Amino acid sequence: MSLPEDLLELAVATAREAGRMLVDKRPADGPDVVQTKSSPTDVVTQMDQAAERLIIERIRAARPDDGFLGEEGGTRAGASEVRWVIDPIDGTVNYLYDLPDWAVSIAAEVDGVTVAGAVDMPRRGETYTAVRGGGALLHTSTGTRELRCNGEVPLNGALVATGFGYAAERRAHQARVLTGVLPNVRDIRRGGSCCVDLCSLAAGRVDAYYERGVQAWDIAAGALVVQESGGRVEGLDGAPAGPELTIAAGPGTFEALHALLKPLEPTRG
């Protein structure tokens, strides 16, 4: 196998193990919130921390020289060209409330370029995978299928996923942006997990996605899944996707959503 395929195999096995642990060991009365980050509603549970430890331990056992970027502090430089970008629970609030839309996201970069990604959604029984240049797949108990996002969907017929930040001021501006988007699209979906939204786009379950405030660990694996399903993932005016803004959609729909968003100043706040 090639290096990206080797990295994907490790990412999939590790994401699935972490996902099983998160389901099996979730306290019956819900996980404890151990800290908050950007606001009182931006929470970290003890299960986020346990999952990140498990992921790093498994990958380090197989590849001790690699680096890591982890949401919950598991960040270190490595001696190899490979860095792992980890979100142990994307959709922590969903996990806290025992809602199904959360995921374990693991991506592998080689010299700064994401080459493999795995997103495991244990409560859905789905694992999404992608290798750069090799396409994107959805794996379930009934089989595996190739992913192809929807393209050329006119905005007035597009189902658009989005998310909101945690700070009150940012949410207020995001609400103003939403009032400019909602009359021009089929409808909006707010699922609560960036990588779940991106994988839903790749699977054709939504037609587009945009959000301000997502971090590298939120989008690393999911963005590759979208790109390998035929979609675009960028910021405004060709900027890289990231905290300023992430827009994702298939051909034609991407350009239309970008044109709609730009005058609404979605990067403010």
Side-chain angles (χ1 to χ4, degrees):
M1 288 192 296
S2 66
L3 176 60
E5 290 170 332
D6 284 340
L7 298 175
L8 179 64
E9 185 176 321
L10 180 56
V12 170
T14 306
R16 284 175 169 167
E17 182 180 357
R20 288 193 300 270
M21 183 274 289
L22 287 164
V23 171
D24 293 343
K25 296 190 176 181
R26 183 185 183 277
D29 56 352
D32 292 331
V33 174
V34 294
Q35 68 183 77
T36 59
K37 293 185 283 188
S38 61
S39 82
T41 56
D42 186 5
V43 299
V44 179
T45 72
Q46 85 271 28
M47 299 304 292
D48 290 87
Q49 297 174 335
E52 185 163 290
R53 285 194 301 271
L54 183 154
I55 292 166
I56 292 173
E57 287 171 3
R58 295 296 183 270
I59 294 174
R60 289 186 69 180
R63 299 185 55 86
D65 294 330
D66 293 351
F68 292 90
L69 175 64
E71 181 176 15
E72 309 309 338
T75 298
R76 73 175 182 94
S80 78
E81 75 277 24
V82 175
R83 183 176 76 157
W84 297 86
V85 184
I86 300 162
D87 194 340
I89 308 177
D90 187 53
T92 296
V93 173
N94 285 346
Y95 181 77
L96 183 67
Y97 280 81
D98 202 21
L99 295 169
D101 278 355
W102 55 270
V104 180
S105 175
I106 302 177
E109 299 174 343
V110 175
D111 294 325
V113 176
T114 304
V115 300
V119 177
D120 186 60
M121 305 176 192
R123 289 287 304 280
R124 283 192 181 188
E126 297 179 344
T127 305
Y128 293 78
T129 64
V131 171
R132 184 163 297 278
L137 299 172
L138 167 58
H139 311 263
T140 69
S141 61
T142 59
T144 299
R145 71 175 177 94
E146 186 174 355
L147 297 174
R148 182 58 48 183
C149 68
N150 300 329
E152 306 298 339
V153 180
L155 277 187
N156 63 5
L159 186 62
V160 180
T162 192
F164 307 111
Y166 292 101
E169 183 178 348
R170 174 166 292 183
R171 285 182 170 187
H173 183 64
Q174 288 173 321
R176 290 189 287 271
V177 172
L178 186 62
T179 63
V181 173
L182 188 55
N184 294 287
V185 300
R186 179 190 295 273
D187 207 347
I188 292 288
R189 291 293 180 267
R190 196 282 199 256
S193 166
C194 169
C195 69
V196 172
D197 286 341
L198 288 169
C199 290
S200 295
L201 170 61
R205 295 171 178 168
V206 298
D207 301 304
Y209 163 80
Y210 77 93
E211 187 169 355
R212 172 160 165 76
V214 297
Q215 303 298 321
W217 45 78
D218 297 313
I219 63 173
L224 184 62
V225 172
V226 170
Q227 290 162 348
E228 291 298 321
S229 75
R232 290 175 64 181
V233 186
E234 298 175 18
L236 278 183
D237 298 319
E244 282 291 296
L245 189 67
T246 296
I247 306 171
T253 312
F254 180 96
E255 292 83 355
L257 180 59
H258 183 284
L260 176 63
L261 286 168
K262 187 173 180 179
L264 300 174
E265 299 182 281
T267 61
R268 281 182 49 205

